[in-house]
Amino acid sequence: PVFIYPFGIFFPNKGGRQSGLMVPSFAFSSGRGVIFDDLGFYWAASEFWDMQFTTDFYSKGGYLLGTSGRWNVKDEYNGNASFEYGKTRFNTDEEYVTAWKFTLDHRQNLTPYQNLSANLNFSSADFNRNTTANINDRIRQTITSNASYSMAFDNGSNLSVGYNREQNLITDGHTQNIPVTYSIPNLTMFKLFEKDVTFRNTSRLNYNQQRTQEIISQDGLLDTNYRNEERKYISHTPSITFSLPRIYNFNITPSFNFGVNN
């Protein structure tokens, strides 16, 4: 095939961010052929956010399309996200596989009493092995995702919602949890020996989902199955605390705690 590659491109020198074409890098590989990396377009949409669109092309190894964006509004929110998709293989002896990856990193102060943060990372099991020559990325076995939301109420109570996920890139199994916690501040029930008797309660709801790989041998052949397990529970942990009158140099503060699980 005949193709033209620009070995040198000169643009007018302008200050600040400018939208325009992204000049790719290229290389040659015995397994992947001619490689063009990061051929695309950069869009400086505004002073608060921008995007870029890229294409990686391998004459023997398929293609990878990508898009990414960044945003930053001072004192309110900031973050970035990316998505990549393609059909790839690392050498001609392998079949093409679908490769995809999604990442999101976001921080936001919704109100003075509400905060949201997320650091998410999802991908197909063979994404790193089929798209990069970096040895550290190729031998990586797990990726993690975390997100949290918290809110403080006027009465002193607090609500928090979390999400965490760990994915095994070797077996394509994963474990994820969604914990929800609500706690109320200390409430004065009555006085005992002129001391406050206080009550406090924390309630938790948790959802756990696990996907594991099972390799079964039947008639000398290996078969791979995936098993999904789910667990849900609600727990309440109330407590009562009070102080006894001071005895010499000792302060005694009894407390009673008990829990209920559903």
Side-chain angles (χ1 to χ4, degrees):
V2 178
F3 63 93
I4 299 174
Y5 179 79
F7 286 92
I9 297 180
F10 301 91
F11 297 99
N13 187 14
K14 297 181 179 180
R17 296 182 304 148
Q18 299 291 327
S19 300
L21 295 175
M22 298 171 57
V23 180
S25 60
F26 79 102
F28 297 93
S29 168
S30 59
R32 314 195 83 178
V34 180
I35 301 173
F36 288 88
D37 280 333
D38 295 329
L39 171 64
F41 182 79
Y42 172 74
W43 180 27
S46 76
E47 61 178 316
F48 303 111
W49 64 283
D50 57 21
M51 294 188 68
Q52 67 180 31
F53 308 90
T54 60
T55 300
D56 296 341
F57 173 76
Y58 318 98
S59 62
K60 298 181 182 179
Y63 67 92
L64 191 66
L65 305 177
T67 179
S68 62
R70 301 177 301 174
W71 52 89
N72 189 346
V73 177
K74 186 178 180 180
D75 299 329
E76 293 187 26
Y77 57 85
N78 64 83
N80 60 83
S82 67
F83 178 71
E84 297 175 86
Y85 175 87
K87 296 284 187 179
T88 63
R89 62 182 178 183
F90 209 73
N91 58 67
T92 55
D93 296 330
E94 301 175 353
E95 296 291 333
Y96 286 104
V97 297
T98 300
W100 62 271
K101 183 178 182 180
F102 171 76
T103 64
L104 171 67
D105 188 25
H106 182 74
R107 302 287 184 275
Q108 183 171 359
N109 296 321
L110 300 172
T111 69
Y113 305 100
Q114 297 182 73
N115 292 283
L116 173 67
S117 66
N119 188 345
L120 306 180
N121 193 346
F122 304 96
S123 80
S124 56
D126 293 325
F127 182 86
N128 287 342
R129 291 195 293 270
N130 287 323
T131 60
T132 180
N134 185 295
I135 186 63
N136 293 325
D137 291 334
R138 287 177 59 81
I139 65 175
R140 180 177 298 176
Q141 297 186 9
T142 60
I143 55 176
T144 59
S145 298
N146 295 282
S148 65
Y149 166 81
S150 62
M151 180 177 182
F153 296 91
D154 292 336
N155 62 2
S157 60
N158 291 275
L159 171 68
S160 65
V161 181
Y163 172 76
N164 55 78
R165 183 180 190 269
E166 182 173 297
Q167 179 183 348
N168 189 310
L169 296 177
I170 305 301
T171 66
D172 201 26
H174 65 259
T175 300
Q176 57 186 3
N177 292 280
I178 305 177
V180 180
T181 303
Y182 177 74
S183 61
I184 63 174
N186 292 339
L187 301 177
T188 300
M189 300 173 63
F190 54 87
K191 288 185 177 293
L192 181 66
F193 303 115
E194 298 183 353
K195 301 288 185 179
D196 291 338
V197 177
T198 58
F199 171 83
R200 182 180 180 86
N201 179 59
T202 299
S203 298
R204 293 182 176 88
L205 181 150
N206 190 80
Y207 170 80
N208 175 272
Q209 189 261 337
Q210 186 175 26
R211 182 176 187 256
T212 56
Q213 182 187 66
E214 293 181 330
I215 300 177
I216 303 173
S217 177
Q218 294 180 346
D219 299 328
L221 299 176
L222 297 179
D223 187 22
T224 301
N225 295 323
Y226 288 93
R227 183 175 66 181
N228 289 292
E229 297 179 356
E230 294 185 0
R231 292 187 295 272
K232 301 178 285 289
Y233 73 85
I234 299 175
S235 67
H236 307 278
T237 54
S239 64
I240 299 175
T241 304
F242 62 95
S243 298
L244 294 176
R246 184 182 181 88
I247 302 176
Y248 296 105
N249 294 321
F250 297 96
N251 291 317
I252 301 175
T253 305
S255 64
F256 299 92
N257 300 274
F258 57 97
V260 179
N261 292 319
N262 298 323

